Amino acid sequence: MATPPRIRGSAGPGSHDVSGLIGDAEFDHELLAGLALSIGASVVWWLDLREDRLGWMPGLDVVVGVPGADPETVRAALAALVAPLTVAARSAPAWQDFELEQPVETPAGTRRLQFRARVSTRDNAPALVGVVADVTWRHTQQQQLTDLADRYRLLVDLSPDAIVVHESGRIVYANPAAVRFVRALSDGEILGRLITDFVHPASQQEMLRRIAKLTEPGAASEPADAVLVRFDGGTTDIESVSVRTTWEGRPAFQVIMRDVTEQKAAAAALSYQAALAAHVSDALIATTASGVVTSWNPSAENVYGHLAADAIGRPIGLVVGAPLDPSAILDAGGVIQAEHRRSGGEALAVRVSVARMDDGYVLICADETARRRAEHRFTAVVDAIEEGVLVVGATGLVESVNPAAERILGVGAHEATGELASSVGLHDEAGRPIPLERFPSAITRTTGRAQHGRIVRAPRPDGSHVWLSLSARPLSQDGTLPTATVLSFTDITERRMIDTRLEHEATHDALTGLSNRTVTINRLSPPARAHRSGLTAVLFIDLDKFKVINDSLGHSAGDEVLRVVGSRLSLSARRGDVVGRLGGDEFTVIAYGVTGEDEATALADHIRSEMNRPITVDGRQLHVDASVGIVLAEPGDPRDGADLLRDADLAMYQAKTRGRGRIAFFDVELRDRIQRRLQLEQDLRMAPLNDELWLAYQPIVDLRTDRRTAVEGLLRWTHPRYGLIFPGEFITLAEESDLINIVGAHMLHTAAREIAEQAPDLQLTVNLSARELDDPWLVSAIRNATHKAGLTPASLCLEITESALMRDPALAARTLSSLRDLGVRLAIDDFGTGHSSLAQLLTLPLDTLKIDRSFTAGLGRSDEATAIVTSIIAMAHAVDLTVIAEGVEHPEQLEILRELGCDQAQGYHLGRPAPLAEL
């Protein structure tokens, strides 16, 4: 018989093949050992796939359930059991593993066999070699484990305690009780979330500390209190235990939680009741039916001076120092006032309350000694204080009067007691009588509501009046109406007089007595104008040249003028109008019910005519005039008082710009212009820093060579909001707001740098304003600008207007001399428009004279213009000045200038201003 493949060595006794016992066989021990190790204690079997022969090792008959059977029976049983494996093995590749579990019925019951086999082609003899083992015990153990797991799962699911398992801090299991604990709809809302999401922050640190100690599987923490956070936002007090366990083979923690909310509440209630009994301020005493003390709280020890150990077991009368019959007190209503004694003999005023207990009594003894002593002291204090106090009974009759009330009201206590509190007539702050039902005492007596700080005026028997600050409070706090009332009051008559004076001073101008700015603004508020019919005219009045009076005659004379003006304004205004002084020499008149601009203008003219009358001060007759700005507001105008005053001020400013002694009405365009001006002034301060200022250059041409020899730098401003701002607007603004020095310095530095870098062969001409000419740092600034740019001073020509030179000729001469010493060239601009002295001009160190464009414009159209230009050129050449004509816009003007011998010219005909790179 052929030896099965993968079999080596000799077969032991009892080995069988299809015909019986096999003699010798060699087994592949490595293959068999691998199969046997995977299944445990086993018997070897094999199948020759080529010859379909089946063989086995001894003991197989017992394993397959036919112990002691003949080989055919064993073979048949084995063939039936491994039939599925043999079918699969015939088409399987070499070394294919198979596993099969089969039930076997035996007299002892059903057994489970496990077959493990592998296809082998050793020595080119295909065979299926396997082992078989009885694994019934394993199934039994598995079933037992399954039953145990089911019982454990049922136990956990039905447990009233919440049980969760968390791995790496995230919940992987939660039983139904845990779902209920956190008020979740299902465990799906819990699983996957952090365990700390459900633990109150105050409990988290302690929980993490306990878990960190559980380093070994099965280790459990001691029960500890924690607070659980629920989905509904509430919390639950729990007692929790954490156990180190595993989840799917990974370390995890199981937490068992028990709801101890009710337990804690019960414990707290018991603790509160015990604390209440122990800490209540009244003596709490229990006795038997015969009056023997059975309980004595700490307050009883404090009140009576007896320790509980000494008082318990003794008759109640002995320890309270006076006869005490609980049953008699109950018969008398349950509460009495009594006098007891402390252990040292001191008297105690006590209120005793008695209640029946199961087989005895409970007594509450309230020590009122201090209260009664305080009542006596309070009576003494009330009699001694400076504040008047009246007690009015529930019927409205006066029951008591303290000495201060007698003094303040001028009545004796015997006269006032028993009289109605409303018998004295009271008036409010406006002087109106107060109805009897609105008296403070009547309101408190009938409603129980306290009245505080009511200011009233009360008559005195001597015919005088007294102002009182009065308060009324109910005496009883049980809510019973009508109630007894205590009235307290202080005499504020003197303070009232002071307040009246201070109020007048706070609302009126101290110099003129007119309304001040605050009152004026209040009278212009929308609510104050709402009930007025017609228009409200606001006249803003500013005196012209008042500063001259102050500076020449002194402030005392100026104050007298202001007083006279205020008086005349009051007389000039209509009845009902408000006249006020806003400050300095600014006044206002608020005229209500104006029909329109004509009436407002007539009122302003009348006021001005009254003010124009001479004012005599210190024997001198002074004349004043005023500029008036007017705003008209309809009753529904939303502007408040400050807005209307602001707009009237703008109109007054507009009147001054038109010439003094004028009247101007406010309009929205005026506000827009002023606001634009204010905005531009603010923005101009930052324009140099924001690179918004730039220079345009206009060429200056030599008329003999027609070559460009110089350029005039003209400042431009590109505003981020308004776009290009014309120089005529912002240069004037800069001069008036003291920004011209900043702007001029920026212009000089920029122009010098650009010329030095881009056109060093051209001479630079820039304008110098009158304010810059007054600047003591001008020479240093020019020296610094030219040096920093690398521009020679001789390449710079400064243009000064004729009017600027004439402001202070001496200062101008000194400044120009310093500039000439520096090396710069100097030119007089707009010659012929400043009414200067020719002699003064000839003494100044000038290099160039510029003919104003107004004269150039007349060339070719006016013989007078030609004559003037001829004279200017001749005069300038006589003193060696170079002549430049401005404003050349037509060819014929250029030709006339050439014929007249003019040296240079500039204008739109020769070139418009443009950035240097575009010239």
Side-chain angles (χ1 to χ4, degrees):
M1 184 174 182
T3 301
R6 287 195 167 184
I7 306 297
R8 290 290 185 268
S10 60
S15 296
H16 292 81
D17 62 8
V18 292
S19 59
L21 185 65
I22 298 177
D24 293 322
E26 291 184 0
F27 300 96
D28 187 338
H29 292 288
E30 183 180 352
L31 182 149
L32 293 177
L35 294 174
L37 286 174
S38 66
I39 198 172
S42 57
V43 177
V44 178
W45 60 272
W46 61 89
L47 173 65
D48 187 332
L49 295 175
R50 181 179 298 171
E51 299 180 6
D52 198 22
R53 287 183 301 172
L54 190 64
W56 60 88
M57 294 298 289
L60 185 68
D61 55 337
V62 176
V63 175
V64 299
V66 289
D70 59 87
E72 286 301 322
T73 303
V74 174
R75 187 194 67 77
L78 178 59
L81 289 172
V82 300
L85 295 180
T86 60
V87 173
R90 297 186 186 279
S91 59
W95 300 101
Q96 174 71 48
D97 286 329
F98 296 96
E99 182 178 335
L100 177 66
E101 193 170 296
Q102 294 279 44
V104 175
E105 297 295 333
T106 69
T110 303
R111 295 164 59 197
R112 305 291 296 186
L113 302 182
Q114 186 176 31
F115 293 85
R116 299 292 299 275
R118 182 177 294 169
V119 176
S120 173
T121 57
R122 188 160 185 172
D123 299 331
N124 295 322
L128 181 65
V129 182
V131 293
V132 58
D134 187 346
V135 294
T136 306
W137 62 272
R138 185 184 301 171
H139 278 270
T140 303
Q141 284 185 341
Q142 184 65 36
Q143 185 61 44
Q144 290 174 347
L145 288 175
T146 301
D147 294 344
L148 179 62
D150 289 342
R151 288 195 300 274
Y152 174 75
R153 183 178 296 106
L154 188 62
L155 179 64
V156 171
D157 287 346
L158 298 180
S159 172
D161 294 336
I163 300 175
V164 299
V165 177
H166 60 91
E167 176 192 350
S168 299
R170 294 195 178 274
I171 299 174
V172 295
Y173 171 78
N175 74 337
V179 176
R180 293 193 302 272
F181 269 37
V182 298
R183 305 291 196 271
L185 298 177
S186 67
D187 61 355
E189 293 184 327
I190 302 175
L191 299 182
R193 295 188 59 171
L194 293 174
I195 185 68
T196 52
D197 289 349
F198 302 97
V199 181
H200 193 277
S203 302
Q204 289 181 11
Q205 186 174 1
E206 179 62 22
M207 178 198 75
L208 296 174
R209 186 188 63 81
R210 292 197 307 271
I211 290 177
K213 292 182 178 181
L214 305 179
T215 58
E216 298 294 332
S221 67
E222 293 294 329
D225 290 339
V227 179
L228 196 68
V229 179
R230 306 195 302 258
F231 273 92
D232 60 3
T235 59
T236 301
D237 293 325
I238 61 168
E239 181 185 75
S240 69
V241 175
S242 296
V243 181
R244 178 68 179 268
T245 183
T246 59
W247 181 264
E248 296 181 354
R250 298 182 299 274
F253 296 92
Q254 178 172 288
V255 184
I256 302 97
M257 296 169 282
R258 176 169 298 168
D259 187 349
V260 294
T261 305
E262 294 183 0
Q263 176 183 338
K264 285 196 171 185
L270 291 174
S271 175
Y272 173 76
Q273 293 172 3
L276 186 64
H279 295 90
V280 67
S281 60
D282 295 333
L284 189 62
I285 307 168
T287 71
T288 64
S290 60
V292 176
V293 176
T294 59
S295 177
W296 188 266
N297 75 337
S299 292
E301 293 182 336
N302 295 332
V303 171
Y304 292 103
H306 296 289
L307 297 176
D310 298 331
I312 294 174
R314 299 176 64 186
I316 183 67
L318 292 179
V319 290
V320 301
L324 196 158
D325 184 356
S327 62
I329 296 175
L330 279 175
D331 294 340
V335 180
I336 64 167
Q337 300 289 336
E339 183 176 298
H340 292 175
R341 296 280 175 179
R342 283 179 56 85
S343 59
E346 300 92 343
L348 298 172
V350 182
R351 185 182 76 254
V352 183
S353 303
V354 178
R356 195 178 301 278
M357 201 167 57
D358 295 337
D359 54 353
Y361 302 94
V362 174
L363 295 84
I364 299 176
C365 300
D367 183 5
E368 296 184 342
T369 306
R371 183 178 65 81
R372 294 186 186 178
R373 186 182 299 118
E375 288 177 353
H376 292 298
R377 291 178 178 175
F378 174 74
T379 301
V381 169
V382 170
D383 288 344
I385 61 175
E386 293 295 319
E387 187 176 14
V389 177
L390 296 180
V391 176
V392 180
T395 60
L397 298 178
V398 176
E399 295 182 352
S400 67
V401 181
N402 78 333
E406 292 181 304
R407 174 178 51 79
I408 294 172
L409 298 178
V411 297
H414 63 283
E415 299 172 315
T417 303
E419 296 292 329
L420 285 171
S422 58
S423 61
V424 177
L426 299 179
H427 291 74
D428 62 16
E429 293 186 82
R432 296 183 296 266
I434 300 176
L436 298 182
E437 66 276 8
R438 300 305 301 167
F439 272 36
S441 59
I443 294 175
T444 300
R445 183 166 54 84
T446 57
T447 67
R449 296 195 304 270
Q451 304 291 302
H452 299 287
R454 291 281 300 275
I455 306 300
V456 299
R457 190 185 71 190
R460 292 166 56 96
D462 60 4
S464 62
H465 292 84
V466 61
W467 284 96
L468 306 176
S469 176
L470 184 147
S471 298
R473 300 174 181 84
L475 273 178
S476 59
Q477 302 298 325
D478 57 3
T480 303
L481 296 175
T483 178
T485 305
V486 59
L487 294 177
S488 59
F489 48 86
T490 55
D491 183 356
I492 61 169
T493 305
E494 183 177 357
R495 191 181 78 192
R496 177 83 179 180
M497 295 174 61
I498 295 174
D499 289 346
T500 301
R501 185 175 69 253
L502 291 177
E503 180 182 2
H504 182 273
E505 293 176 355
T507 56
H508 290 77
D509 175 54
L511 180 64
T512 63
L514 301 177
S515 298
N516 62 10
R517 177 182 289 271
T518 301
V519 173
T520 302
I521 291 175
N522 289 337
R523 295 295 182 88
L524 286 174
S525 65
R529 292 184 280 109
H531 65 281
R532 303 280 186 174
S533 60
L535 300 173
T536 298
V538 184
L539 281 66
F540 197 105
I541 303 164
D542 184 88
L543 303 184
D544 293 334
K545 298 184 179 179
F546 177 74
K547 186 174 184 301
V548 176
I549 296 176
N550 252 347
D551 294 344
S552 59
L553 301 181
H555 290 284
S556 59
D559 289 346
E560 180 61 25
V561 170
L562 294 176
R563 278 191 288 267
V564 173
V565 169
S567 176
R568 290 184 181 180
L569 282 175
S570 298
L571 295 174
S572 302
R574 306 170 310 166
R575 179 173 303 192
D577 291 348
V578 178
V579 180
R581 180 186 176 212
L582 303 177
D585 60 344
E586 295 178 342
F587 296 84
T588 183
V589 174
I590 304 173
Y592 299 107
V594 175
T595 57
E597 289 189 5
D598 291 343
E599 186 175 355
T601 301
L603 176 60
D605 288 337
H606 175 64
I607 289 173
R608 286 188 57 246
S609 64
E610 287 296 313
M611 294 175 61
N612 284 336
R613 291 190 294 111
I615 299 175
T616 302
V617 177
D618 295 336
R620 299 188 180 192
Q621 282 195 342
L622 305 176
H623 296 269
V624 296
D625 201 347
S627 299
V628 183
I630 304 175
V631 169
L632 297 178
E634 297 180 353
D637 194 310
R639 288 175 290 181
D640 60 19
D643 291 339
L644 289 174
L645 275 184
R646 177 202 63 201
D647 293 343
D649 190 8
L650 293 178
M652 184 277 296
Y653 177 81
Q654 181 69 9
K656 280 189 175 294
T657 60
R658 296 175 181 172
R660 302 184 185 279
R662 300 294 183 93
I663 299 172
F665 282 87
F666 170 80
D667 58 43
V668 177
E669 292 182 358
L670 173 61
R671 181 199 297 161
D672 292 341
R673 290 196 302 273
I674 298 300
Q675 289 178 346
R676 172 187 167 94
R677 178 184 179 84
L678 293 175
Q679 184 66 50
L680 288 178
E681 181 179 339
Q682 295 175 4
D683 295 344
L684 186 57
R685 296 182 182 275
M686 301 302 297
L689 298 177
N690 296 335
D691 291 330
E692 297 170 9
L693 298 177
W694 57 280
L695 283 163
Y697 298 90
Q698 187 172 32
I700 299 175
V701 176
D702 189 318
L703 297 185
R704 293 183 296 273
T705 64
D706 287 334
R707 292 184 59 192
R708 182 177 59 208
T709 60
V711 289
E712 181 178 359
L714 303 171
L715 193 60
R716 298 289 186 263
W717 182 14
T718 302
H719 192 276
R721 175 181 175 186
Y722 300 118
L724 186 63
I725 308 296
F726 290 105
E729 182 176 7
F730 76 84
I731 293 297
T732 302
L733 183 63
E735 290 179 341
E736 293 178 356
S737 59
D738 293 331
L739 290 173
I740 190 62
N741 290 333
I742 298 175
V743 173
H746 176 78
M747 172 184 177
L748 182 61
H749 278 269
T750 303
R753 187 189 72 251
E754 291 182 349
I755 289 296
E757 293 175 354
Q758 302 180 44
D761 57 326
L762 293 179
Q763 184 168 349
L764 172 65
T765 300
V766 295
N767 289 291
L768 204 63
S769 71
R771 285 186 177 271
E772 289 179 286
L773 195 62
D774 295 340
D775 184 5
W777 299 100
L778 175 64
V779 177
S780 298
I782 293 174
R783 181 187 295 110
N784 180 56
T786 55
H787 176 73
K788 187 175 181 180
L791 186 72
T792 59
S795 298
L796 176 64
C797 179
L798 299 177
E799 294 184 3
I800 303 98
T801 60
E802 189 177 355
S803 57
L805 292 174
M806 293 304 102
R807 287 181 52 180
D808 189 343
L811 176 62
R814 291 194 298 271
T815 303
L816 294 181
S817 296
S818 299
L819 292 173
R820 170 56 65 81
D821 293 340
L822 184 62
V824 301
R825 298 173 61 80
L826 302 173
I828 182 170
D829 195 12
D830 301 335
F831 183 78
T833 61
H835 310 290
S836 61
S837 167
L838 184 59
Q840 289 176 328
L841 291 178
L842 293 178
T843 60
L844 295 175
L846 299 173
D847 300 288
T848 302
L849 182 149
K850 299 190 75 172
I851 301 174
D852 186 69
R853 65 182 63 250
S854 61
F855 300 128
T856 305
L859 294 176
R861 294 181 298 174
S862 168
D863 294 338
E864 291 80 1
T866 302
I868 292 173
V869 171
T870 301
S871 300
I872 293 174
I873 293 173
M875 179 192 65
H877 284 170
V879 291
D880 294 329
L881 295 180
T882 300
V883 181
I884 302 175
E886 293 183 305
V888 177
E889 298 184 359
H890 304 290
E892 55 269 32
Q893 295 173 342
L894 189 63
E895 292 305 320
I896 294 174
L897 289 171
R898 278 199 179 98
E899 293 174 359
L900 295 178
C902 183
D903 302 308
Q904 298 174 7
Q906 68 181 99
Y908 284 176
H909 176 65
L910 298 172
R912 291 177 177 270
L916 190 61
E918 298 179 10
L919 286 181

